[in-house]
Amino acid sequence: MKSVSKLAILLPILFLCGTSWAQVKGEEVAVLTPPPSVPPAITRKHATKLIVNLEVIEKKMKIAEGVDYTFWTYGGTVPGSFIRVREGDLVEFHLRNHPTSKMPHNIDLHAVTGPGGGASASFTLPGHESVFSFKAINPGLYVYHCATAPVGMHIANGMYGLILVEPEKGMPKVDREYYVVQGDFYTKGKFGKQGYQPFDMEKAIDENPSYVVFNGSTLSMTGDNALKANVGETVRLYVGNGGPNLVSSFHVIGEIFDKVFKEGASEFNTNIQTTLVPAGGSAIVEFKLEVPGNLVIVDHSIFRTFNKGALGLIKVEGSGDKTVFSGKTADNVYMPEGGAIQKVVDKEQVATASTLEDQLKFGKTIYAQNCAACHQPDGKGIVGAFPPLASSDFFNADWKRSIDVVKNGLSGAVTVNGQLYNGVMPALGLSDEDISNVLTYISHSWGNKKRIFKKPEVSSVSTRKDKGGGH
Ligand SMILES: [Cu+2]
């Protein structure tokens, strides 16, 4: 008798759960977006049958300026199209493999509860389509990826992306949402080697990538492709890591994450500087913008950023709050060894070099203190990371541009003496006097065209608000 009464209570509960799941109303086709875009927030208050059409395309694209690679993609981009569904949705997945593909492919979605995340159900030959469906039970941000053998190679070629399962109550509104996924790539040629570069299995097994990039290329979020936002706005990044091998120490130079939904969890932590994003994992980060300038998205395993391409920019426009960040307000001479300590608040009052000899002497000091760390004491730079100033065709070609570089910083691809660089040179905040001296020193050193830079020339090149560096 006892067990019967228990059953009598349990049955209606089971029935209720069952009905709430069964309440799938209507049918929709999911909006998919390429990176760095995110589909619009779901406003629906009920679960639906959501049809996702995703096409696998194998194609050649740029991994860096002048470097081509054959990517295997979901939807034609790396990472693949962003998929946005709602908790409780019945997702009907259509995986198509383009007839020109050379390989079979499938998809393992970490948002799926079921064998292989859908991998064997979605195994698809070129020129075929597979259909399977799943219930989006757990809200969160999930990686999807190819799981066809050799799995590592399919992932290394760019076969991953993110699927967001919005909680029933929706995501809080923010001003901007972006889609950023890190990946490591293994090419026969080392970083920056020009021309077509095939996949290198040995480097992949050794976990020794030639490239570590966001959104499939060193160019995805630099120059004109920089992400955009305004002072006063709140930005949300849906961050993923496709791997195949590396774990990301995800960081944005010049910001603190107000909220981090670590590993795509439902609860958030606050005030985080750097968050780990595992290979095959994710994070949702949010921050409010208080000051203008360039924010730099990096993997804080920092050689990956400055030497392997893991760098993206967020261009923040608007007027800044000087109480949040003042910029440099003073440039003091500091000489504890007994020199006259001179406080210079107004940069215009710095002693002026009146002769070329003075300019060279002052310029040499400024170079040693501000430039040598990157461009090296001998001006020869570091191949692939910091361009040379010694006999630099770039430096000698356009003196106005050289002033602009030192004044405002530089980012994006540049070719110096035939070698490609795609790094970030920060604006250093030097006075016009200092800039004229350091440029005069450089132009009189290491085989450069001897040219005297005068302070008024430097002043005539305007200071841009959107400085190149930001850190
Ligand atoms: Cu594949």
Side-chain angles (χ1 to χ4, degrees):
M1 276 319 280
K2 230 179 168 189
S3 59
V4 170
S5 66
K6 239 186 203 165
L7 207 71
I9 299 165
L10 266 172
L11 266 176
I13 294 173
L14 284 169
F15 180 71
L16 273 174
C17 294
T19 48
S20 84
W21 269 22
Q23 275 168 9
V24 168
K25 280 195 269 174
E27 185 177 306
E28 269 177 35
V29 176
V31 175
L32 306 183
T33 57
S37 305
V38 177
I42 293 174
T43 52
R44 227 173 342 106
K45 294 283 177 277
H46 59 89
T48 194
K49 178 174 156 190
L50 191 68
I51 296 166
V52 174
N53 295 312
L54 192 60
E55 185 185 35
V56 173
I57 305 164
E58 300 172 358
K59 65 194 263 202
K60 214 183 265 182
M61 293 191 287
K62 273 186 184 176
I63 193 166
E65 193 61 53
V67 187
D68 286 329
Y69 185 75
T70 303
F71 293 90
W72 298 348
T73 75
Y74 289 109
T77 56
V78 176
S81 309
F82 195 104
I83 307 169
R84 190 166 195 155
V85 312
R86 182 182 178 276
E87 181 181 358
D89 279 351
L90 177 66
V91 181
E92 185 180 282
F93 212 98
H94 295 243
L95 188 72
R96 294 164 184 162
N97 191 357
H98 198 272
T100 57
S101 291
K102 296 194 171 61
M103 297 283 166
H105 299 284
N106 64 7
I107 193 165
D108 167 352
L109 299 120
H110 293 178
V112 167
T113 306
S120 49
S122 62
F123 183 82
T124 310
L125 295 169
H128 285 253
E129 177 193 73
S130 299
V131 183
F132 70 103
S133 66
F134 69 93
K135 178 76 103 179
I137 300 174
N138 300 69
L141 181 63
Y142 299 95
V143 164
Y144 65 78
H145 63 87
C146 190
T148 304
V151 178
M153 182 179 180
H154 284 250
I155 295 177
N157 284 341
M159 296 200 80
Y160 45 76
L162 291 179
I163 175 169
L164 173 68
V165 181
E166 276 202 45
E168 279 179 355
K169 59 184 192 317
M171 304 282 293
K173 221 179 131 16
V174 291
D175 301 293
R176 284 172 199 266
E177 295 186 319
Y178 287 116
Y179 174 26
V180 176
V181 177
Q182 183 170 321
D184 27 301
F185 289 88
Y186 304 83
T187 56
K188 283 268 183 278
K190 60 181 196 231
F191 180 86
K193 180 97 198 308
Q194 296 290 283
Y196 178 75
Q197 296 299 329
F199 172 70
D200 187 323
M201 190 62 154
E202 214 166 294
K203 281 186 185 168
I205 293 167
D206 292 346
E207 305 192 9
N208 176 26
S210 342
Y211 292 85
V212 182
V213 295
F214 295 115
N215 291 357
S217 151
T218 63
L219 312 163
S220 66
M221 291 184 289
T222 51
D224 291 343
N225 298 329
L227 305 184
K228 287 172 190 69
N230 297 312
V231 171
E233 291 180 335
T234 299
V235 175
R236 175 184 293 145
L237 303 180
Y238 294 104
V239 184
N241 185 2
N245 289 319
L246 302 185
V247 168
S248 173
S249 299
F250 190 79
H251 178 77
V252 174
I253 299 173
E255 259 302 340
I256 296 149
F257 302 142
D258 301 323
K259 293 183 187 172
V260 176
F261 298 77
K262 287 180 158 194
E263 296 170 21
S266 301
E267 292 74 34
F268 61 82
N269 288 60
T270 54
N271 302 325
I272 287 179
Q273 59 194 304
T274 301
T275 194
L276 280 172
V277 188
S282 70
I284 304 171
V285 307
E286 294 179 12
F287 44 92
K288 182 160 192 254
L289 300 167
E290 275 90 7
V291 294
N294 273 347
L295 301 176
V296 190
I297 301 172
V298 302
D299 179 339
H300 218 297
S301 291
I302 211 75
F303 274 99
R304 298 175 188 169
T305 290
F306 291 108
N307 301 74
K308 294 193 170 182
L311 184 150
L313 296 175
I314 308 175
K315 219 172 232 185
V316 183
E317 294 193 327
S319 52
D321 181 342
K322 291 279 182 202
T323 64
V324 175
F325 184 71
S326 69
K328 188 170 186 171
T329 55
D331 187 342
N332 304 325
V333 175
Y334 173 65
M335 289 190 288
E337 307 304 314
I341 294 169
Q342 179 194 4
K343 190 166 169 63
V344 191
V345 175
D346 181 357
K347 287 174 187 165
E348 302 310 313
Q349 288 172 10
V350 178
T352 318
S354 45
T355 61
L356 172 61
E357 205 187 359
D358 273 357
Q359 275 201 293
L360 295 177
K361 195 175 81 193
F362 293 164
K364 189 173 181 177
T365 309
I366 294 158
Y367 183 82
Q369 289 168 353
N370 295 283
C371 322
C374 294
H375 293 286
Q376 304 302 297
D378 60 5
K380 285 188 182 144
I382 293 175
V383 175
F386 305 113
L389 299 175
S391 309
S392 159
D393 56 0
F394 187 96
F395 175 81
N396 289 305
D398 183 344
W399 61 264
K400 250 195 168 149
R401 180 177 65 186
S402 294
I403 294 171
D404 187 69
V405 169
V406 181
K407 216 166 177 174
N408 295 309
L410 182 69
S411 62
V414 291
T415 304
V416 182
N417 296 347
Q419 170 79 36
L420 199 99
Y421 294 87
N422 196 352
V424 174
M425 152 132 177
L428 298 162
L430 296 178
S431 70
D432 290 350
E433 169 78 22
D434 285 351
I435 292 174
S436 69
N437 292 339
V438 78
L439 288 174
T440 303
Y441 167 72
I442 292 167
S443 73
H444 283 76
S445 308
W446 316 309
N448 286 327
K449 273 190 213 161
K450 291 188 167 58
R451 184 175 192 286
I452 295 171
F453 289 77
K454 299 264 189 242
K455 189 181 146 203
E457 286 176 347
V458 176
S459 304
S460 75
V461 174
S462 52
T463 309
R464 272 182 281 116
K465 262 199 282 167
D466 55 325
K467 301 218 168 137
H471 46 145

